[in-house]
Amino acid sequence: MCVTKEDELKEDKDKKECEKEVENEKICKKDKVKDIHSSVRNVLATGLITSITIITIGFLMMFFSGEESEKIMPFSKMAWSILEFKPLAVLSIGILILLLTPLARVLMTSVIFYKEKDYKYVVISVIVIVVLLASLLLGAK
Amino acid sequence: MDLIFIITLLILGMAIGFLGAMLGIGGGIILIPILTVVFSIDIHSAIAASIVTVVATSTASATQSLGDKLTNIRLAMVLEIATTLGAIAGAITTSHLNISSLAIIFAAMSIYSAYSMIEKINSEKAKQYGNLVLACSFFILSVISSMLYLIPPTIFLICATLLFGYLHATRLTRLPGLPKPEGPKEFETKVETLKSRVADKLMLHNKFFDPAWGKERCYKVANLPRGLALSFLAGNISGLLGIGGGVIKVPAMANEMGVPMKVATATSNFMIGVTAVASAYIYYANGYLMPMLIAPLVLGVVPGSLAGFRFVCRAQGSTIRLIFSILLIFVALIMLSKVLQCV
């Protein structure tokens, strides 16, 4: 990242506190699974690329079919219309995949924490998943 | 659909994504006024469109920043409980508020964002007078909204006035025993003395690679309850106005919880995706999402923010931040004029 003048000035002061930092080092616990960042990143990247591709396809289909639609397709209609390959359904599913990517990311972290046997964080992840699902169900009504 | 309209939206999305990633603020605070004022789109649909672009921006930039391993995923998970709950509450509230109420809260939020931009330029002066200026401007806004019989924003703005008034007062009468928050050494001792039992148990403390040091550096997370409360507020405003809410989360983590600035920024950005999605589902259900508006914006915002991320270093200059904060105050005035127009 960026190194500004402020950072450079801080550096001298900070070096004096290096000894203190060594003590602090004991507090820090290493992540057992090293690739937590990269696996979360893969989930996000996959979701983003998929949704962008589908949104582009759906958008072009909408544009060339000349179909006018103000509102997004609700969940209930989507299942049937996607089989018929309707432009609005394709576009809606692209947007939906974009919106489901963060949920997939939370699911992924919960799996990683379960593998780490870090059960506190499995519980925390599950709470977040439940809140998101509640919002999704509140939405599907 | 008009081709020119679509291309304009695409370019607008790119510009918003670029600026947002470069300056480290969500684009929503600029996008919503443009959509409502220039394109005369209904404010609820503009908020819904903005929240989807926020999800796209956060996801795109998280794929970049996760490589640096600055993000504290554990801290993000804990705070996400509060932000998602806040976002759901905010999204439900939005559908019950009228345009004037939303516009006036939006004006208050853009004034606050302008303040946070100025604070980055000159934190000393901003800390001295910033809270007072904020309290005064929120007070004026609360008077305006009470004159228009807008009850919810009046209550909200009076609370904000009291909060910033309190912050200013506590700054003036700082007890001699309390450490100054400025210096890194004093800050360190301040963080040491803060209670962090819960954070200890949750193993929130972590380390990151500090380029200024050239080695890994440890940090402790403190003040978890206050952080959770502020995260709830950030989530609430995010759901209410369709903005990312990083302007609240980053200072909450950096100033209150003792998280280093770079980690706070990365973690906040990581959290924004999940927070925004919680309210986006509700906007989806309420039928506020307009696919032909959202698609070009999203397709513009993703490459825009990926490009903007590479220019973060060049945006350290104070001029660009000053221009942007003036722009934000201008946005606040536009939103206020919209409020008065509706009456």
Side-chain angles (χ1 to χ4, degrees):
Chain A
M1 295 290 281
C2 323
V3 181
T4 57
K5 274 185 186 174
E6 247 181 39
D7 289 333
E8 280 166 15
L9 285 174
K10 263 186 197 172
E11 202 174 349
D12 297 334
K13 278 187 184 175
D14 287 348
K15 271 180 184 168
K16 290 172 192 168
E17 287 165 38
C18 269
E19 287 172 22
K20 206 175 193 180
E21 284 298 319
V22 176
E23 278 174 39
N24 276 358
E25 202 110 358
K26 290 168 194 163
I27 309 159
C28 294
K29 288 183 176 111
K30 283 177 190 172
D31 271 326
K32 284 168 202 159
V33 174
K34 284 173 194 166
D35 58 341
I36 181 160
H37 281 89
S38 57
S39 46
V40 168
R41 189 179 170 189
N42 288 344
V43 172
L44 291 179
T46 314
L48 191 68
I49 292 166
T50 319
S51 66
I52 289 296
T53 316
I54 296 173
I55 288 174
T56 314
I57 295 167
F59 182 64
L60 290 175
M61 280 168 72
M62 281 286 276
F63 185 71
F64 288 113
S65 70
E67 195 179 315
E68 292 275 332
S69 175
E70 283 271 287
K71 284 183 180 174
I72 199 160
M73 196 169 270
F75 284 122
S76 45
K77 277 189 188 173
M78 208 180 270
W80 277 112
S81 313
I82 194 72
L83 291 175
E84 293 169 22
F85 211 58
K86 279 187 181 167
L88 183 61
V90 177
L91 183 53
S92 299
I93 223 144
I95 294 172
L96 195 63
I97 289 171
L98 178 67
L99 295 182
L100 289 175
T101 305
L103 181 60
R105 186 271 269 176
V106 182
L107 282 169
M108 185 71 197
T109 41
S110 74
V111 171
I112 292 169
F113 284 130
Y114 183 76
K115 275 185 191 165
E116 268 187 43
K117 292 183 179 166
D118 194 345
Y119 296 116
K120 275 176 204 159
Y121 276 89
V122 177
V123 173
I124 288 170
S125 313
V126 168
I127 293 171
V128 177
I129 292 168
V130 167
V131 173
L132 287 179
L133 285 179
S135 154
L136 195 63
L137 291 177
L138 219 64
K141 194 169 61 180
Chain B
M1 258 339 235
D2 193 6
L3 189 63
I4 297 166
F5 179 63
I6 289 169
I7 290 170
T8 319
L9 283 179
L10 208 65
I11 293 168
L12 177 70
M14 274 183 194
I16 296 282
F18 187 80
L19 276 175
M22 191 170 77
L23 297 168
I25 69 153
I29 202 114
I30 299 292
L31 181 63
I32 294 167
I34 292 177
L35 288 181
T36 50
V37 176
V38 181
F39 295 97
S40 60
I41 289 161
D42 165 48
I43 195 163
H44 288 109
S45 301
I47 288 174
S50 166
I51 204 84
V52 179
T53 60
V54 165
V55 175
T57 317
S58 165
T59 311
S61 49
T63 56
Q64 300 288 305
S65 63
L66 277 169
D68 296 338
K69 304 210 169 174
L70 285 172
T71 318
N72 187 339
I73 293 181
R74 283 165 200 269
L75 180 61
M77 293 304 300
V78 172
L79 294 182
E80 269 163 12
I81 298 174
T83 58
T84 46
L85 286 173
I88 291 174
I92 292 170
T93 322
T94 306
S95 44
H96 297 292
L97 290 178
N98 59 12
I99 296 168
S100 318
S101 304
L102 284 174
I104 209 156
I105 298 174
F106 201 91
M109 202 54 213
S110 51
I111 290 173
Y112 178 76
S113 304
Y115 159 74
S116 71
M117 294 294 284
I118 294 171
E119 194 189 19
K120 277 180 193 160
I121 302 169
N122 190 341
S123 69
E124 272 307 298
K125 261 189 184 167
K127 271 178 188 152
Q128 238 168 359
Y129 302 109
N131 288 329
L132 186 65
V133 174
L134 276 178
C136 288
S137 47
F138 286 161
F139 180 70
I140 295 166
L141 284 178
S142 71
V143 168
I144 294 172
S145 62
S146 66
M147 284 193 318
L148 299 172
Y149 301 109
L150 304 168
I151 299 152
T154 312
I155 297 167
F156 174 77
L157 288 165
I158 287 173
C159 289
T161 311
L162 290 174
L163 175 68
F164 286 104
Y166 170 77
L167 285 177
H168 181 71
T170 48
R171 203 189 144 69
L172 283 183
T173 58
R174 205 198 304 118
L175 295 169
L178 277 176
K180 286 179 196 172
E182 288 89 38
K185 196 173 182 181
E186 285 89 346
F187 188 73
E188 196 85 8
T189 50
K190 185 187 158 198
V191 171
E192 290 287 313
T193 54
L194 290 171
K195 284 178 195 169
S196 57
R197 261 176 302 156
V198 188
D200 283 337
K201 272 187 189 161
L202 290 173
M203 299 192 297
L204 286 176
H205 317 304
N206 210 328
K207 55 188 171 186
F208 74 110
F209 183 80
D210 192 344
W213 279 35
K215 70 180 188 84
E216 280 199 328
R217 193 179 140 189
C218 286
Y219 59 90
K220 282 174 89 178
V221 179
N223 255 343
L224 196 60
R226 202 185 289 185
L228 282 172
L230 284 169
S231 300
F232 183 83
L233 178 74
N236 205 337
I237 287 176
S238 162
L240 194 69
L241 303 177
I243 60 175
V247 271
I248 301 173
K249 274 179 230 166
V250 174
M253 278 191 266
N255 302 336
E256 301 294 330
M257 304 179 74
V259 178
M261 195 63 185
K262 276 171 190 159
V263 179
T265 313
T267 308
S268 155
N269 192 33
F270 185 70
M271 283 157 62
I272 282 171
V274 169
T275 312
V277 133
S279 54
Y281 294 150
I282 290 171
Y283 286 115
Y284 192 111
N286 289 340
Y288 289 137
L289 296 190
M290 290 163 74
M292 284 310 270
L293 174 69
I294 290 166
L297 283 175
V298 166
L299 294 180
V301 139
V302 171
S305 58
L306 288 177
F309 213 77
R310 294 172 194 282
F311 287 90
V312 181
C313 288
R314 293 188 199 174
Q316 299 294 317
S318 53
T319 327
I320 192 164
R321 289 190 185 278
L322 198 66
I323 293 169
F324 210 72
S325 59
I326 292 166
L327 187 74
L328 282 168
I329 288 170
F330 187 63
V331 162
L333 290 176
I334 288 173
M335 289 315 261
L336 265 184
S337 73
K338 201 170 168 60
V339 173
L340 298 172
Q341 233 173 45
C342 291
V343 176

